[in-house]
Amino acid sequence: MATTKASPKSKNQNDLSHHIKTFWKIFAGFILVVILFFLLASWGVFGSLPDETSLENPEKNLATEIISSDGKTLGKFYKENRTPVPFDSLPDPLVNALIATEDARFYEHSGIDGRGTLRAIAFLGTRGGASTISQQLAKLFFTDQTASNKIERGLQKIKEWIIAIRLERRYTKEEIITMYFNEYDFLNQAVGIESAANIYFDKSPAQLSTAEAAMLVGMFKNSSLFNPNRRPELVRNRRNVVLSQMEKYDFISEKVMDSLQALPLNLKFTPQGHDEGIATYFREYARTFMEDWIKEHPKPDGSKYNIYQDGLKVYVTIDSKMQEYAEAAVKKHMAHLQVAFDEQNKKNKTAPFRDITVEETQGILNSAIRKSDRWRQMKRAGIDEDEIIKSFKKKVPMRVFSWKGDIDTIMTPLDSIRYHKSFLQAAMMSMTPQTGEVKAWVGGIDYKHYKYDMVKKGRRQIGSTFKPFVYATAIDQMHMSPCDTLPNTIYTIPAGKYGLQQPWTPKNAGGTYGGMVTLKYALANSINTITARLIDRVGPEPVIDLVKKMGVNTDNMPAVPSIALGTPDVSVYEMVGAYSTFANEGVYVEPILIQRIEDKNGTVLYQNVPKTKDVISNETAYVTVSLLEGVTQSGSGSRLRGTGREGSAVYKNAVTGYPYNFTNPIAGKTGTTQNNSDGWFMGMVPNLVTGVWVGGDDRATHFGSTAYGQGATMALPIWGMYMKSCYADKDLDVSTGNFKRPANLSIETDCSKWRLGNPDIEEIPDEFDF
């Protein structure tokens, strides 16, 4: 039987049909394998996936934020410097730049971009990847480390796809974008868009321009590579790519793109490290406060809050502008004053110390060695003390402080101790007396190098700034008037009285005596003999009782007459609180720094309640203020008024910012301690009380002359420049008016009929004769 031979055409058709069937079998098999992989991955065969709770609350380390009274972020406590922001705080250019660059079909897919995935497979990624924003978010949340092995990375990708789909089901598109911006690490301690905008541009996200938004979005590709601080030109090119993508997808016009691409980066790098930024000393106080607070205030479940990752918000009383003005005044004056101090020390063989022996100098240095971080670290390591001491005499590379910026150098640790002790220190605090709200806090000249806070921790002799408490006690007890007169003659309190072992006869500096002087003149010019007469009349105990009620720690304050001349050690914090009692009509208000604490959801966890105490009558307070006004009118604080002293060498070399030309009522008091070791100025206007201290790290570090070492030169200029800045800022509403006069004032305060003395007199330091 004959057989029919198949035609070539028929055979080709059969072969084609066979190949088509084979293709579809392979394709179906591939799809089944992919589905199987997804199922196995979702069942946890390749490792666990996050449960529903984890998806609902992805684990984050949220920074605790310190927020000023005017709404500015002063600093943060963090393991990761992240502060989340809502979607409505993200400007359109920022969101558009992200979508145009990272996921153009973001609003069209459900977590996986099918077209992009097929393109990536077909061209092996040479024409762009296929990772969606949702996948990248899944990777940020749940992939701790990207695998280097291709198979392991493939399994990670599958997990990320599954998580991305689940994220899309649980969250809206806007929520996913917001989480992505809040989660990404932009380097330089900038985790999340809030920190990034602040650190790179000193702005909030809502204030970002299109070009700035494009730069930050460009960093999503690889923030380590596209680091603005290290590779600005590369980052600029990447930013321009983002702008091109925005033009491609019609978010901006070609003309706008061209103009923006021509711009420089215009970075305003504002680091937020714990040693950097504004209010560093205050932030450390706030950290200590928070550490103590969380011990006494657990979460509802009994666990402790973590200030480094629970996203707490700490609302404080500090005003960011006033803080900036305070820090600027300290920096400007201290840098200027240091030049004069260094000049005086050129011929000082024991510099930076004065009036001490070689043995005493060595004692100071040995004490500093044992208090240093180097000593503690080597001691913990079990190194022998002799070896530790030897190490302090070996030169090593280090970075040291200077007013022109840190200096990289090589010196011995011992020399670095002497070097850093050669810088004069300063501290100041400013407070609203009626509320107790502390508006500015400067604990030292540079927190990175000098971490000891002289506002609250440091206690130094206060000199003549203590005298108003003696006068206030006399006014309160004996109804004395500023116009009452006493003889300016040598005065002795005999041995045996007040427990004195020997007679106490304080001297007026310069040996000036004679005549009758008013109390107002005596306080304005710090006449010691008058203060001695007053404390003998009222006794030391009532004075101590008064300052204790005003918030001063008196545990180590002896009840002896010499306290009247300022021998006690008191902090700036205590002095500002005490002086505020005078400005607040006799009512002491404990200084307030922390207003309230909220959790990350805005629930109030702590609300400050002011603590007040009636200490003296409003009449006594007002009369004391009247006395203190005399200090700035005709006494040691008169350089706050007028001009005419610019030619003086002291004014030129040390009185920074002069002339000040204040014409409004100011009450104040300078203070200078023995050997010019400490200079003080306490200044008050009706709604702001500010205290300033300047001195050395050690009492032996001081000026050789009173002209430079007195409080009117060392401390007053900081107050003057600070207040000029505050007055120039009309938003602050710092008072230029009169202090409130009691309605039924029975004590005479107008002493215009009395000759108040030479208005050009400078303060002379107190002499402590025990």
Side-chain angles (χ1 to χ4, degrees):
M1 182 176 176
T3 58
T4 305
K5 187 175 182 180
S7 67
K9 183 177 180 181
S10 175
K11 185 178 180 180
N12 289 339
Q13 288 177 340
N14 289 335
D15 289 343
L16 179 61
S17 177
H18 175 73
H19 289 314
I20 291 173
K21 289 179 180 179
T22 300
F23 168 78
W24 283 112
K25 286 179 182 179
I26 294 172
F27 182 76
F30 173 76
I31 295 299
L32 288 173
V33 169
V34 171
I35 293 173
L36 179 61
F37 262 97
F38 270 88
L39 286 172
L40 291 174
S42 65
W43 293 336
V45 173
F46 305 125
S48 62
L49 287 170
D51 57 20
E52 294 299 312
T53 303
S54 298
L55 289 175
E56 184 68 38
N57 298 293
E59 185 178 350
K60 300 176 183 177
N61 289 321
L62 302 181
T64 288
E65 193 171 4
I66 306 172
I67 303 171
S68 69
S69 62
D70 54 331
K72 304 293 184 181
T73 298
L74 296 178
K76 300 176 184 179
F77 307 129
Y78 55 80
K79 289 181 179 177
E80 292 182 345
N81 185 15
R82 179 192 292 110
T83 301
V85 295
F87 182 79
D88 57 15
S89 292
L90 303 176
D92 289 342
L94 189 66
V95 176
N96 294 340
L98 177 68
I99 292 172
T101 309
E102 299 291 328
D103 193 351
R105 287 180 289 277
F106 176 69
Y107 288 106
E108 300 172 13
H109 62 69
S110 299
I112 298 176
D113 182 3
R115 289 166 57 187
T117 302
L118 290 175
R119 182 193 65 231
I121 293 172
F123 296 98
L124 301 177
T126 58
R127 296 191 180 181
S131 184
T132 64
I133 292 173
S134 303
Q135 288 173 248
Q136 293 176 49
L137 179 62
K139 180 181 177 182
L140 285 176
F141 276 156
F142 303 108
T143 301
D144 294 329
Q145 186 173 357
T146 301
S148 56
N149 182 284
K150 291 184 178 181
I151 296 176
E152 291 179 357
R153 181 58 192 141
L155 292 176
Q156 282 183 340
K157 272 286 187 184
I158 292 172
K159 289 182 183 180
E160 289 164 10
W161 285 346
I162 295 170
I163 296 170
I165 293 171
R166 291 168 66 182
L167 286 171
E168 289 269 355
R169 290 175 179 172
R170 182 168 293 278
Y171 297 104
T172 66
K173 292 288 187 180
E174 288 75 17
E175 288 172 331
I176 289 172
I177 286 178
T178 304
M179 286 190 288
Y180 189 46
F181 272 118
N182 284 331
E183 184 68 17
Y184 191 76
D185 186 349
F186 292 87
L187 290 191
N188 296 304
Q189 298 175 330
V191 181
I193 193 63
E194 169 76 14
S195 296
N198 275 284
I199 287 175
Y200 290 116
F201 297 108
D202 196 22
K203 294 180 177 181
S204 68
Q207 296 171 319
L208 291 171
S209 68
T210 300
E212 292 164 346
M215 191 210 86
L216 293 176
V217 167
M219 294 178 70
F220 278 113
K221 186 174 180 67
N222 184 339
S223 58
S224 295
L225 178 63
F226 298 101
N227 184 338
N229 284 345
R230 300 184 66 180
R231 303 180 185 90
E233 193 57 37
L234 187 65
V235 172
R236 185 173 180 269
N237 292 338
R238 177 61 186 164
R239 179 205 65 183
N240 289 348
V241 170
V242 174
L243 291 169
S244 296
Q245 288 295 105
M246 294 179 74
E247 188 275 332
K248 176 181 177 180
Y249 291 104
D250 297 325
F251 289 118
I252 59 175
S253 66
E254 183 177 358
K255 182 179 179 181
V256 170
M257 177 193 71
D258 291 339
S259 64
L260 295 179
Q261 287 181 336
L263 295 175
L265 291 180
N266 289 325
L267 291 176
K268 188 178 180 183
F269 188 62
T270 311
Q272 293 184 346
H274 298 301
D275 288 354
E276 299 158 318
I278 191 174
T280 45
Y281 290 93
F282 170 76
R283 281 155 41 197
E284 177 57 23
Y285 166 84
R287 187 193 67 77
T288 303
F289 177 93
M290 291 299 297
E291 292 283 12
D292 292 338
W293 181 84
I294 62 175
K295 294 175 184 176
E296 305 296 329
H297 300 82
K299 295 180 181 179
D301 63 4
S303 63
K304 285 186 177 181
Y305 285 101
N306 188 319
I307 66 171
Y308 301 103
Q309 64 184 40
D310 281 344
L312 301 176
K313 284 184 167 51
V314 184
Y315 292 89
V316 301
T317 60
I318 298 292
D319 183 284
S320 68
K321 290 183 179 179
M322 296 175 78
Q323 181 68 29
E324 287 179 1
Y325 301 150
E327 292 183 10
V330 168
K331 181 178 181 179
K332 184 175 181 180
H333 176 60
M334 295 308 295
H336 188 206
L337 188 67
Q338 188 67 39
V339 175
F341 185 69
D342 292 342
E343 183 65 29
Q344 285 198 14
N345 272 324
K346 282 184 177 180
K347 297 181 180 180
N348 177 16
K349 294 181 180 180
T350 58
F353 313 115
R354 285 182 179 274
D355 306 323
I356 60 173
T357 64
V358 174
E359 291 75 17
E360 289 171 326
T361 298
Q362 194 58 49
I364 291 174
L365 295 176
N366 287 339
S367 176
I369 286 173
R370 284 167 169 77
K371 292 178 181 178
S372 68
D373 290 337
R374 174 183 288 270
W375 178 277
R376 285 193 290 267
Q377 291 167 4
M378 296 181 77
K379 195 74 174 171
R380 280 197 298 266
I383 300 173
D384 182 75
E385 285 196 8
D386 290 338
E387 290 300 317
I388 296 176
I389 292 172
K390 288 179 182 178
S391 75
F392 274 83
K393 299 176 182 179
K394 296 177 181 178
K395 290 186 176 183
V396 294
M398 63 177 64
R399 178 168 290 183
V400 297
F401 170 77
S402 87
W403 278 113
K404 294 181 179 180
D406 287 357
I407 300 172
D408 290 315
T409 186
I410 297 176
M411 66 170 64
T412 69
L414 181 58
D415 286 340
S416 77
I417 288 174
R418 184 186 284 269
Y419 171 81
H420 280 108
K421 282 186 175 293
S422 69
F423 286 90
L424 294 172
Q425 301 297 312
M428 72 172 290
M429 182 177 125
S430 194
M431 170 178 144
T432 303
Q434 291 77 21
T435 64
E437 295 178 352
V438 175
K439 311 310 292 183
W441 173 300
V442 184
I445 59 172
D446 183 87
Y447 183 73
K448 188 186 299 182
H449 294 280
Y450 301 95
K451 286 187 164 52
Y452 192 75
D453 189 341
M454 288 299 296
V455 167
K456 195 170 185 183
K457 291 181 181 178
R459 305 178 69 81
R460 297 296 285 262
Q461 285 186 335
I462 53 177
S464 292
T465 55
F466 192 85
K467 290 178 179 176
F469 303 125
V470 179
Y471 280 70
T473 305
I475 294 165
D476 194 49
Q477 284 189 7
M478 298 181 288
H479 216 62
M480 294 188 76
S481 163
C483 309
D484 288 343
T485 60
L486 291 172
N488 179 19
T489 56
I490 291 177
Y491 188 81
T492 299
I493 299 178
K497 195 172 185 180
Y498 309 119
L500 291 175
Q501 298 298 312
Q502 56 187 354
W504 183 63
T505 307
K507 300 174 183 177
N508 290 338
T512 303
Y513 304 95
M516 300 292 289
V517 296
T518 64
L519 295 189
K520 193 163 191 173
Y521 177 81
L523 183 62
N525 296 285
S526 273
I527 298 178
N528 292 338
T529 57
I530 303 301
T531 309
R533 290 177 183 276
L534 291 177
I535 200 165
D536 192 23
R537 290 190 182 188
V538 300
E541 286 285 2
V543 178
I544 293 174
D545 289 342
L546 175 67
V547 297
K548 184 176 182 179
K549 291 175 183 177
M550 291 179 170
V552 176
N553 185 334
T554 59
D555 291 348
N556 297 314
M557 192 177 294
V560 294
S562 60
I563 63 172
L565 304 187
T567 58
D569 289 349
V570 184
S571 70
V572 174
Y573 176 90
E574 291 171 331
M575 288 296 288
V576 173
Y579 266 66
S580 292
T581 307
F582 298 133
N584 192 35
E585 303 178 71
V587 179
Y588 170 74
V589 182
E590 185 177 309
I592 298 169
L593 293 122
I594 311 296
Q595 284 283 29
R596 72 180 188 278
I597 302 169
E598 295 180 359
D599 66 14
K600 63 183 179 182
N601 299 314
T603 302
V604 176
L605 306 175
Y606 167 84
Q607 181 70 56
N608 183 279
V609 178
K611 298 177 182 177
T612 65
K613 184 189 301 180
D614 291 334
V615 178
I616 52 179
S617 68
N618 62 346
E619 183 176 49
T620 297
Y622 179 78
V623 173
T624 306
V625 167
S626 177
L627 282 168
L628 291 169
E629 284 186 278
V631 174
T632 68
Q633 292 165 353
S634 61
S636 57
S638 62
R639 59 181 62 181
L640 291 171
R641 316 283 186 182
T643 60
R645 303 176 185 177
E646 294 90 337
S648 163
V650 174
Y651 280 73
K652 182 178 179 180
N653 297 330
V655 186
T656 319
Y658 182 84
Y660 309 106
N661 293 321
F662 292 114
T663 58
N664 56 290
I666 297 171
K669 187 71 189 79
T670 56
T672 309
T673 64
Q674 198 168 30
N675 296 327
N676 310 308
S677 293
D678 306 276
W680 288 79
F681 184 71
M682 303 297 302
M684 303 188 293
V685 295
N687 65 350
L688 194 65
V689 176
T690 304
V692 182
W693 166 85
V694 174
D697 220 13
D698 301 274
R699 296 183 196 275
T701 304
H702 58 78
F703 275 103
S705 68
T706 300
Y708 286 90
Q710 63 178 310
T713 301
M714 290 213 294
L716 179 145
I718 292 175
W719 190 92
M721 290 188 292
Y722 167 67
M723 290 300 292
K724 283 183 74 172
S725 297
C726 289
Y727 280 131
D729 190 336
K730 301 305 179 184
D731 292 336
L732 296 179
D733 195 28
V734 177
S735 175
T736 57
N738 293 310
F739 290 89
K740 186 175 180 181
R741 181 186 175 96
N744 300 313
L745 183 66
S746 62
I747 299 175
E748 179 61 60
T749 59
D750 182 7
C751 306
S752 57
K753 61 183 177 180
W754 296 94
R755 184 175 64 85
L756 295 181
N758 183 357
D760 293 324
I761 191 170
E762 298 290 356
E763 182 193 14
I764 304 171
D766 304 320
E767 296 286 335
F768 298 144
D769 292 342
F770 296 93

